[in-house]
Amino acid sequence: MATQQTLSLVDVIHRTASYSVEDIRPLLKYLDFKPERRDLASRLAAQEIADRLRRMGSNDIASMFRGGDGVAYEEVVCDVGEKLKAKGVSPSNTVSRNEELIIEKVFADTLDSMSEDEKRVLFRSMNLDVKDVPLASSAAVLMPILLHQFGGFATYRLAVIIANMVSRALLGSGLSFAANAVITRTVGTLLGPIGWIATGAWLAVDLAGPAFRKTVPAVLYVAALRLTLANRLS
């Protein structure tokens, strides 16, 4: 039986929708997509959504040679990682590892775009003790400190923050993670008033191609959903 870390894209979407259909609606908005299946909690609807994301990650030539099916999700993730210059992203990694590297890269870029005061407010909203944190330092210095303080939930917390900021920037509101109230309480006030840096955060990863403006937020959101499924169990 597959672990949460090795779930396919269809499984991540389907299992998320089984807990709460509301939690997949942001993904539909990012992809500008309305599945033909009315029952969004069905596996067939999850397959439609996954196919849409994979097609968005393809160019016209690639789609033509694949009969319009799009590229594999693993390839979409690698393409996003390459575009964002996320170090370590590789086809030899698991897809979940590549998603995590992308999350950490986007968060690091966000930190480097923030002032010391902004970092202080953000870290406090993350329930971190900023007394001994060198706020004037670059993300290269700060990221190991944050990952250490967060411990085993580190990447999940960063994923929630990034997914929330991107949602505020692109959809105009933060995420609710309706079925995950218990889980989101473990990450402090990360779903709270941090939207004031959302636009700046998204500009840090703004991309020229219209397809990437769909696949980047979609991949970040799928990564958050995957980690949410894993942390629901733990």
Side-chain angles (χ1 to χ4, degrees), residues 19 40-41 47 53 56 65 76 80 97 104 152 173 182 184 220:
Y19 284 106
L40 293 181
Q47 184 67 63
L53 200 168
M56 292 305 302
F65 282 108
V76 176
V80 167
R97 179 55 183 155
E104 292 172 12
S173 62
V182 173
T184 51
L220 289 169

Side-chain angles (χ1 to χ4, degrees), residues 130-170:
V130 298
K131 181 174 58 178
D132 298 321
V133 176
L135 297 175
S137 300
S138 67
V141 174
L142 293 173
M143 286 297 290
I145 296 173
L146 295 180
L147 294 174
H148 175 72
Q149 288 202 32
F150 275 154
F153 282 87
T155 306
Y156 172 63
R157 295 184 185 213
L158 299 186
V160 171
I161 294 171
I162 293 300
N164 190 56
M165 289 193 297
V166 172
S167 177
R168 286 182 182 275
L170 298 186

Side-chain angles (χ1 to χ4, degrees), residues 30-31 46 56 69 74 94 106 110 119 126 157 208 226 229:
Y30 291 142
L31 298 174
M56 292 305 302
D69 290 335
E74 290 80 0
T94 63
V106 173
T110 301
K119 292 175 187 175
M126 297 160 67
R157 295 184 185 213
R226 186 189 305 277
L229 288 171

Side-chain angles (χ1 to χ4, degrees), residues 14 29 61 75-76 102 121 139 184 207 209:
H14 183 221
K29 292 179 181 178
I61 295 176
E75 187 173 336
V76 176
I102 290 170
V121 173
T184 51
L207 301 162

Side-chain angles (χ1 to χ4, degrees), residues 7-124:
L7 289 177
S8 69
L9 175 60
V10 175
D11 284 333
V12 171
I13 297 170
H14 183 221
R15 294 193 185 192
T16 297
S18 296
Y19 284 106
S20 171
V21 168
E22 293 305 310
D23 286 351
I24 64 167
R25 294 197 187 280
L27 183 58
L28 297 180
K29 292 179 181 178
Y30 291 142
L31 298 174
D32 190 22
F33 183 59
K34 184 177 181 180
E36 293 181 6
R37 299 282 172 177
R38 292 186 178 182
D39 180 9
L40 293 181
S42 70
R43 189 170 183 82
L44 289 175
Q47 184 67 63
E48 284 187 52
I49 298 166
D51 290 346
R52 170 71 171 187
L53 200 168
R54 291 168 48 238
R55 284 195 297 272
M56 292 305 302
S58 309
N59 57 41
D60 291 341
I61 295 176
S63 294
M64 179 178 66
F65 282 108
R66 292 175 175 82
D69 290 335
V71 299
Y73 176 65
E74 290 80 0
E75 187 173 336
V76 176
V77 174
C78 285
D79 287 346
V80 167
E82 181 180 355
K83 190 71 173 180
L84 297 180
K85 297 180 173 60
K87 292 181 180 179
V89 170
S90 167
S92 63
N93 294 337
T94 63
V95 66
S96 59
R97 179 55 183 155
N98 283 334
E99 288 172 344
E100 291 169 1
L101 290 169
I102 290 170
I103 290 167
E104 292 172 12
K105 168 62 174 174
V106 173
F107 193 82
D109 286 350
T110 301
L111 287 180
D112 280 337
S113 70
M114 296 169 66
S115 68
E116 288 185 42
D117 287 340
E118 289 172 334
K119 292 175 187 175
R120 183 177 293 106
V121 173
L122 176 62
F123 292 170
R124 284 176 176 168

